[in-house]
Amino acid sequence: MNINQATEKLYKLQDKISAYNHAMSLIFYDGATTAPKDTAQNRAHTLGILSEETYILMTGAETVELLEFLDENKASLSDKDKRIVYLSLKNIREMQKIPMDEYVAYQQLISESDTVWHDAKENNDFASFLPYLEKIFETNKKFARYCAPDKDPYDYYLSQYEEGLTKEKCDEFFSTLKEHIVPLISRIAEKKQLDDSCLKGDFPIEEQKAFSYELMKAMGISLDRCGLAETEHPFTTSLGSHFDVRITTNYNTEDLSSSMYSVIHEGGHALYDMNSDDDLAYTCLDGGVSMGIHESQSRFYENILGRSKGFVEYVFPLMQKAFPKQMEGYSADDVYKAVNLVTPSLIRTEADEVTYCLHVMVRYELEKRMMAGEINASDLPREWNRLYKEYLGVDVPSDREGVLQDSHWSGGAIGYFPSYALGSAYGAHLYAKMKESVNVEKCLACGDLTPVNEWNREHIWKYGSLKPSTELLGEALGEEFDPLYYTKYLEDKFGELYGL
Amino acid sequence: MNINQATEKLYKLQDKISAYNHAMSLIFYDGATTAPKDTAQNRAHTLGILSEETYILMTGAETVELLEFLDENKASLSDKDKRIVYLSLKNIREMQKIPMDEYVAYQQLISESDTVWHDAKENNDFASFLPYLEKIFETNKKFARYCAPDKDPYDYYLSQYEEGLTKEKCDEFFSTLKEHIVPLISRIAEKKQLDDSCLKGDFPIEEQKAFSYELMKAMGISLDRCGLAETEHPFTTSLGSHFDVRITTNYNTEDLSSSMYSVIHEGGHALYDMNSDDDLAYTCLDGGVSMGIHESQSRFYENILGRSKGFVEYVFPLMQKAFPKQMEGYSADDVYKAVNLVTPSLIRTEADEVTYCLHVMVRYELEKRMMAGEINASDLPREWNRLYKEYLGVDVPSDREGVLQDSHWSGGAIGYFPSYALGSAYGAHLYAKMKESVNVEKCLACGDLTPVNEWNREHIWKYGSLKPSTELLGEALGEEFDPLYYTKYLEDKFGELYGL
């Protein structure tokens, strides 16, 4: 085998893995969107087979041999090929450390746990979910020891979602946020509350759907390559490559902002995923590099851009057109204030921009202590409620609105939550950088987001997973990431809004 | 390898093939239902890879060795296992004759052709579809020569959809139909036309959707295992097994019967597919055995049952509930007459029960001549229009309403059309047999189709593809199939309706 033959083989393998991923993502998407009620077992049957095939393709002896050959000859590889080999081998070396039977048992646990969690949430029955939660944390601790015996287990998972992230860095990051956000919330609480009545009322789903498409167009998302569907929990998925991306939303007929900002948030993920260089399609480099960077894009569009005065003015005519009666007598300024009302609340996904990070911190604290063995799964409801009281000043009336609200733990995603807060802060720093060369206000006033999207494409999107996230972010910022851009952004914006 | 090990391996292989089929069917379904406009190439990319993998699974050396071993030991196999081995080997022996690169290229051609056909139909632009049509017929001729060099190419494809079917048998069958149907149409034309105004008006899509679900329930279709979606051309597909079936329809807001009878037709396919014995799931025996038998079920529910007086009386209250204003002043009898109005027309899927087979005959004649090389793809529009004038007496105003109307050729389904007519005639004969033990009228009057569905399940559905279609039909009928049951049914029913 010479290098050319091996490279050709590598791309054929990447192609195949992409095709399997297309199939599996679509089966998942179908299940969440349109599949009939009693067909989950049939999907699980097929997914079991396809994921086993994918596992073999990714870690089989032939693949390992190929990748090791290419790794030995990496001096002759392009940057792109080198990165594909590096990421694939990294993945294999970790997967190889987990005994196959334990890996399979964990996949089964996760798949059952999702169903149990759904029911537990619906019935407000933490006890039924507890044994799964215990086992998931336990298995994750064990897997971390297998994969990175020299590393702290929680550090290992944090770095899985954001390269190089550690508890120490998180602690420092969150303490900076806390230092600024907690007093900001107190000062806001003393002021007259903003009025959000323009977004409450009766907003029929069909009209919200039509409005969602208008919003996507306003964001610069091509509807010819990005679909929209309805699911219980909004998400974004790519099918096979960045040439076909789908976002989903959930409509609340009594509150327009709920789906509106889900669409903008998922639209941000979609823009990132859809704009990898075409050259990266059908490889593991296609699509966003890390959850932190991904959230920096989704939360940039949702909040920094989407809840700005200029953006609200830009989309207000679309709101008026979609909901002429409901919007009667209201102005863009009324909407701007309504979407920026700050109030401590119970549900993370519905939290405002200021209190949002406190929701994340609760989860971070609990994961950290769980992974360190300082608390047990059975302590989680009590500790959750205690921290909500301490951080947000709210009483949690039920586990459904408390510890059972998120799907992450039931899906085994431990260490994911901090990327939401990190992404928000990345977004604010990137925004400051973008404004050095893009007149964002003018773009919004002219109704053309092209320069904004172009900046993101040039600095973030086009690279897909070609560069490690720290390198990508560092190069885009031209300096070290600094969370004070985020806290200053919040202080300035909400200082003005609330007259602090 | 002993027999037990080989059998176990066989089922693992069947399982895998079912999983790949699940993925490919879903990707096709997604393309027809919800995929964004410019994503066809991305789907073609994935389908190319998955069909290559499936091809290898179905025809690879390891598979051939396994099947040949089992075939040599077939005396020790169950009927089910024997049939799986027989069908798989039959398929292999044919597929092996097609070079893999040509097979994969054809799959890609078909997938692209579907998009081109859609646009061509929309823009009434036959020229853009012509090169695809040429290539599809050409490739099919070539494949027929590879697979069955001693057989007439069209006979080969006819027998692919209906075991043992030939041009000779088709000619004889169609000439029997013609002999009875042509004079029947003439006699009807002399009589006062029926009134179908109760089905014309304004029927909003959302209300038609809700009505479609009611119809499915009335037919005894479990909505927990059968989905409904909207596509340009209605179809039915199974995803991986009979545990997840989807039907689609197309709504015409000005004509209630259009989607109503599509739903009932596809519902008939769905009932057949959904009711294979559970034991057959995840094998090649799951689902209907041939297109002729499949159409015998769909056209039985659509016409023989669905356009009967009893069925219309059964579902009329559902129509009144779904469309209270539109149905005001009309009776079940008005609807019964409206859905049985006979008039020569342009569109096959909207044709009445009597003229329908003439639409099929046009397509049969053209396919026959194309496969014999007597005409070229470029002759099709002219010949289509000429035959419509000759058989149905209508002038075809555009290719959109003419040669471009059906999706079959763009999907490579040559030889499929005759099964619609054959199925209709099977259905009439099966109905005569069913009535010997089931009081269908009473079932409809009581609003419970269970005994009708049970008869079909016991005699047809549960067998999936376990028995060859001729054997299945012969056993269900207890005698040889006779198309005169069909012509007599038409003559009786329409004789009464039109007072002949």
Side-chain angles (χ1 to χ4, degrees):
Chain A
M1 190 158 54
N2 64 34
I3 300 272
N4 281 348
Q5 288 167 325
T7 312
E8 199 180 305
K9 231 176 150 183
L10 176 71
Y11 278 93
K12 231 183 145 181
L13 183 66
Q14 291 282 308
D15 240 12
K16 249 190 216 178
I17 294 169
S18 303
Y20 284 73
N21 283 334
H22 184 163
M24 292 190 288
S25 302
L26 184 61
I27 290 170
F28 173 80
Y29 176 81
D30 175 59
T33 54
T34 49
K37 205 177 126 280
D38 289 349
T39 54
Q41 235 181 325
N42 188 58
R43 273 190 301 286
H45 184 97
T46 294
L47 285 173
I49 292 165
L50 294 180
S51 62
E52 195 183 320
E53 291 295 303
T54 311
Y55 185 91
I56 293 167
L57 277 180
M58 289 173 82
T59 65
E62 209 184 327
T63 300
V64 174
E65 195 190 339
L66 172 71
L67 290 167
E68 280 174 349
F69 172 79
L70 286 165
D71 191 46
E72 281 156 23
N73 292 281
K74 66 181 159 206
S76 347
L77 297 184
S78 70
D79 283 351
K80 183 183 155 194
D81 297 353
K82 231 182 282 175
R83 177 84 173 154
I84 294 175
V85 170
Y86 167 77
L87 287 176
S88 305
L89 272 176
K90 182 171 170 254
N91 188 36
I92 287 173
R93 279 166 191 158
E94 273 170 10
M95 278 175 117
Q96 276 174 339
K97 289 179 186 154
I98 301 173
M100 179 71 174
D101 58 333
E102 292 187 34
Y103 177 82
V104 169
Y106 181 65
Q107 294 309 315
Q108 202 146 1
L109 172 69
I110 291 300
S111 139
E112 275 169 42
S113 155
D114 185 63
T115 315
V116 174
W117 165 73
H118 261 98
D119 291 347
K121 185 179 172 185
E122 200 175 311
N123 305 322
N124 190 36
D125 176 16
F126 180 78
S128 67
F129 182 47
L130 176 59
Y132 289 85
L133 202 48
E134 252 167 8
K135 232 177 184 161
I136 286 169
F137 272 98
E138 205 180 278
T139 313
N140 271 282
K141 275 196 261 183
K142 198 166 58 179
F143 285 4
R145 279 195 303 270
Y146 286 147
C147 295
D150 302 332
K151 227 178 185 167
D152 173 87
Y154 193 41
D155 279 354
Y156 171 71
Y157 285 107
L158 287 172
S159 68
Q160 291 290 98
Y161 293 105
E162 197 57 25
E163 196 202 357
L165 192 63
T166 60
K167 283 196 283 194
E168 199 188 332
K169 284 186 191 171
C170 267
D171 282 340
E172 195 189 322
F173 169 68
F174 282 126
S175 101
T176 304
L177 294 199
K178 224 167 163 181
E179 213 171 281
H180 291 82
I181 290 174
V182 172
L184 179 60
I185 295 173
S186 307
R187 285 156 67 210
I188 288 171
E190 288 161 16
K191 293 287 176 170
K192 189 172 168 282
Q193 188 50 289
L194 301 177
D195 176 10
D196 64 352
S197 55
C198 61
L199 300 176
K200 310 286 176 184
D202 181 24
F203 301 92
I205 287 179
E206 280 309 306
E207 282 140 48
Q208 286 202 55
K209 261 185 210 171
F211 175 57
S212 301
Y213 285 113
E214 292 305 316
L215 271 178
M216 289 166 75
K217 283 195 269 178
M219 290 175 72
I221 297 171
S222 164
L223 300 185
D224 293 341
R225 280 179 40 213
C226 183
L228 169 74
E230 217 178 322
T231 54
E232 201 186 320
H233 297 280
F235 66 86
T236 301
T237 188
S238 297
L239 300 177
S241 75
H242 68 278
F243 298 128
D244 188 353
V245 171
R246 314 291 172 94
I247 67 170
T248 75
T249 187
N250 183 280
Y251 298 107
N252 177 343
T253 55
E254 291 167 11
D255 180 355
L256 180 58
S257 66
S258 172
S259 165
M260 175 173 169
Y261 282 94
S262 286
V263 168
I264 304 177
H265 179 95
E266 301 305 332
H269 284 302
L271 280 170
Y272 186 12
D273 277 339
M274 292 169 79
N275 285 289
S276 286
D277 262 350
D278 285 357
D279 184 38
L280 302 178
Y282 309 117
T283 74
C284 63
L285 306 184
D286 199 27
V289 64
S290 74
M291 286 332 298
I293 306 290
H294 240 305
E295 290 297 331
S296 82
Q297 299 305 296
S298 56
R299 292 189 61 80
F300 168 74
Y301 281 90
E302 178 192 356
N303 296 316
I304 296 176
L305 194 74
R307 293 184 207 263
S308 73
K309 201 161 182 175
F311 188 85
V312 171
E313 281 166 356
Y314 169 41
V315 300
F316 186 65
L318 304 177
M319 300 175 79
Q320 286 180 303
K321 211 180 146 198
F323 306 103
K325 258 192 284 176
Q326 295 91 326
M327 287 294 129
E328 215 173 74
Y330 290 115
S331 66
D333 195 58
D334 293 327
V335 174
Y336 172 59
K337 282 178 181 141
V339 301
N340 285 300
L341 182 150
V342 175
T343 189
S345 63
L346 289 165
I347 310 295
R348 178 183 59 83
T349 55
E350 290 165 16
D352 61 80
E353 214 177 336
V354 182
T355 60
Y356 184 85
C357 287
L358 299 180
H359 291 261
V360 172
M361 280 182 236
V362 170
R363 289 150 178 82
Y364 167 67
E365 282 300 322
L366 294 175
E367 286 186 346
K368 195 169 68 171
R369 291 192 224 162
M370 281 293 294
M371 293 302 282
E374 294 166 14
I375 54 171
N376 298 315
S378 59
D379 301 323
L380 282 171
R382 192 195 63 230
E383 286 302 295
W384 179 286
N385 299 354
R386 197 180 59 72
L387 287 173
Y388 259 79
K389 188 71 183 175
E390 186 187 321
Y391 289 7
L392 286 136
V394 296
D395 291 304
V396 178
S398 73
D399 291 336
R400 189 206 322 246
E401 293 152 286
V403 69
L404 288 173
Q405 69 182 262
D406 293 307
S407 63
H408 301 62
W409 291 341
S410 78
I414 291 160
Y416 185 119
F417 283 118
S419 42
Y420 289 115
L422 215 52
S424 302
Y426 288 169
H429 196 160
L430 285 165
Y431 183 52
K433 191 71 197 166
M434 178 196 290
K435 282 201 291 191
E436 289 176 9
S437 58
V438 178
N439 187 336
V440 179
E441 256 115 74
K442 205 180 132 200
C443 293
L444 291 167
C446 300
D448 182 10
L449 283 184
T450 311
V452 172
N453 289 351
E454 271 311 308
W455 195 93
N456 284 327
R457 188 203 312 270
E458 275 312 303
H459 294 85
I460 306 284
W461 299 344
K462 71 175 185 185
Y463 295 106
S465 301
L466 198 56
K467 297 179 186 182
S469 62
T470 35
E471 188 183 323
L472 178 75
L473 187 67
E475 285 180 15
L477 295 175
E479 61 186 339
E480 211 175 316
F481 160 64
D482 184 349
L484 291 178
Y485 280 92
Y486 183 48
T487 53
K488 185 171 180 333
Y489 152 78
L490 291 174
E491 285 161 342
D492 287 352
K493 175 176 173 181
F494 291 91
E496 197 196 318
L497 265 159
Y498 276 90
L500 304 180
Chain B
M1 190 160 54
N2 64 34
I3 300 272
N4 280 348
Q5 289 167 324
T7 312
E8 200 180 303
K9 230 175 152 185
L10 176 72
Y11 278 93
K12 232 185 145 180
L13 183 66
Q14 292 282 306
D15 240 12
K16 248 189 217 179
I17 295 169
S18 303
Y20 284 74
N21 283 334
H22 184 163
M24 291 190 288
S25 302
L26 184 61
I27 290 170
F28 173 80
Y29 175 81
D30 174 60
T33 54
T34 49
K37 207 177 126 281
D38 289 349
T39 55
Q41 236 182 324
N42 188 58
R43 274 191 299 287
H45 184 97
T46 294
L47 285 171
I49 292 165
L50 293 180
S51 62
E52 192 181 323
E53 290 296 302
T54 311
Y55 183 93
I56 293 166
L57 277 180
M58 291 174 82
T59 66
E62 208 184 328
T63 300
V64 174
E65 194 190 338
L66 171 72
L67 290 167
E68 280 173 348
F69 172 79
L70 286 165
D71 191 46
E72 281 156 22
N73 292 281
K74 66 181 160 207
S76 347
L77 298 183
S78 70
D79 283 351
K80 183 182 155 195
D81 297 354
K82 230 182 284 176
R83 177 84 173 151
I84 294 174
V85 170
Y86 166 77
L87 287 177
S88 305
L89 272 176
K90 181 170 171 254
N91 190 35
I92 285 173
R93 279 163 192 161
E94 276 170 7
M95 277 178 113
Q96 272 176 338
K97 292 174 186 158
I98 302 174
M100 180 147 99
D101 57 334
E102 292 187 34
Y103 174 82
V104 170
Y106 181 66
Q107 295 308 314
Q108 237 146 346
L109 171 71
I110 291 301
S111 162
E112 275 168 42
S113 154
D114 184 63
T115 313
V116 173
W117 164 72
H118 262 96
D119 290 347
K121 186 179 172 186
E122 199 175 313
N123 304 322
N124 190 37
D125 176 16
F126 180 78
S128 67
F129 183 47
L130 177 59
Y132 287 85
L133 201 50
E134 252 166 7
K135 228 175 185 164
I136 286 168
F137 270 98
E138 205 180 278
T139 313
N140 271 282
K141 274 197 261 183
K142 198 166 58 179
F143 285 3
R145 278 195 303 272
Y146 286 147
C147 295
D150 302 332
K151 226 178 187 169
D152 173 88
Y154 194 41
D155 278 354
Y156 171 70
Y157 285 107
L158 287 172
S159 69
Q160 291 291 98
Y161 292 105
E162 197 57 25
E163 194 199 359
L165 192 62
T166 59
K167 281 195 283 195
E168 199 188 332
K169 284 187 191 168
C170 265
D171 283 339
E172 193 190 324
F173 169 69
F174 281 126
S175 101
T176 304
L177 294 200
K178 226 167 166 180
E179 212 171 281
H180 290 82
I181 290 174
V182 171
L184 180 59
I185 294 173
S186 307
R187 284 158 66 211
I188 289 172
E190 288 161 16
K191 293 287 176 172
K192 189 170 168 282
Q193 188 50 289
L194 301 177
D195 177 10
D196 65 351
S197 54
C198 61
L199 300 176
K200 310 287 176 185
D202 181 25
F203 300 92
I205 287 180
E206 280 309 306
E207 282 140 49
Q208 286 202 57
K209 263 186 207 169
F211 176 56
S212 301
Y213 285 113
E214 292 305 314
L215 272 178
M216 289 166 74
K217 284 194 268 178
M219 290 175 72
I221 297 170
S222 163
L223 300 185
D224 293 341
R225 279 178 41 213
C226 183
L228 170 73
E230 217 178 322
T231 53
E232 200 187 318
H233 200 282
F235 66 86
T236 301
T237 188
S238 297
L239 300 177
S241 76
H242 67 278
F243 297 127
D244 187 353
V245 172
R246 314 290 171 94
I247 68 170
T248 75
T249 188
N250 182 282
Y251 298 107
N252 177 343
T253 54
E254 291 167 12
D255 180 355
L256 179 59
S257 66
S258 171
S259 166
M260 174 173 170
Y261 282 94
S262 286
V263 168
I264 303 176
H265 178 95
E266 302 305 331
H269 284 303
L271 279 168
Y272 186 13
D273 276 339
M274 292 170 79
N275 285 289
S276 287
D277 263 350
D278 284 358
D279 184 38
L280 303 178
Y282 310 116
T283 75
C284 63
L285 306 183
D286 199 28
V289 64
S290 74
M291 285 332 299
I293 305 290
H294 240 303
E295 290 297 330
S296 82
Q297 299 306 294
S298 56
R299 293 190 59 81
F300 167 75
Y301 281 90
E302 177 191 357
N303 296 315
I304 296 174
L305 195 74
R307 293 185 206 263
S308 73
K309 203 161 180 174
F311 187 85
V312 171
E313 281 165 356
Y314 168 41
V315 299
F316 186 66
L318 304 177
M319 300 175 79
Q320 286 181 303
K321 211 180 146 200
F323 306 102
K325 258 192 285 176
Q326 295 91 326
M327 286 294 129
E328 214 173 75
Y330 290 114
S331 66
D333 195 57
D334 293 326
V335 174
Y336 172 59
K337 283 178 179 141
V339 302
N340 285 299
L341 181 150
V342 175
T343 189
S345 63
L346 290 165
I347 309 295
R348 178 184 60 83
T349 55
E350 290 165 16
D352 60 79
E353 217 176 333
V354 181
T355 59
Y356 183 85
C357 287
L358 300 180
H359 290 260
V360 173
M361 281 182 235
V362 170
R363 290 150 177 82
Y364 167 66
E365 282 301 322
L366 293 176
E367 286 186 346
K368 196 168 67 171
R369 290 191 223 162
M370 281 294 294
M371 292 303 282
E374 294 167 14
I375 54 171
N376 298 315
S378 60
D379 301 323
L380 283 172
R382 192 195 62 230
E383 286 302 294
W384 180 285
N385 298 355
R386 197 180 58 74
L387 287 173
Y388 260 78
K389 188 70 182 176
E390 186 187 321
Y391 288 8
L392 287 137
V394 294
D395 292 304
V396 178
S398 73
D399 291 336
R400 188 206 323 245
E401 293 153 286
V403 69
L404 288 174
Q405 70 182 262
D406 293 307
S407 64
H408 300 62
W409 292 340
S410 79
I414 291 160
Y416 186 121
F417 284 118
S419 41
Y420 288 114
L422 214 53
S424 302
Y426 289 169
H429 196 160
L430 285 165
Y431 182 53
K433 192 70 198 165
M434 178 196 290
K435 283 200 293 190
E436 288 176 10
S437 58
V438 179
N439 188 336
V440 179
E441 255 114 75
K442 207 181 130 199
C443 293
L444 290 167
C446 299
D448 182 10
L449 283 184
T450 311
V452 172
N453 289 350
E454 270 311 308
W455 194 93
N456 285 326
R457 188 202 312 269
E458 275 313 302
H459 293 85
I460 306 284
W461 300 343
K462 71 174 185 184
Y463 295 107
S465 302
L466 199 55
K467 297 180 186 182
S469 63
T470 36
E471 187 182 322
L472 179 74
L473 186 68
E475 285 180 15
L477 294 174
E479 62 186 338
E480 210 176 318
F481 160 64
D482 184 349
L484 290 179
Y485 279 92
Y486 183 48
T487 52
K488 185 173 181 330
Y489 152 78
L490 290 175
E491 284 159 343
D492 287 353
K493 175 176 172 182
F494 291 92
E496 197 195 316
L497 266 160
Y498 276 89
L500 304 180

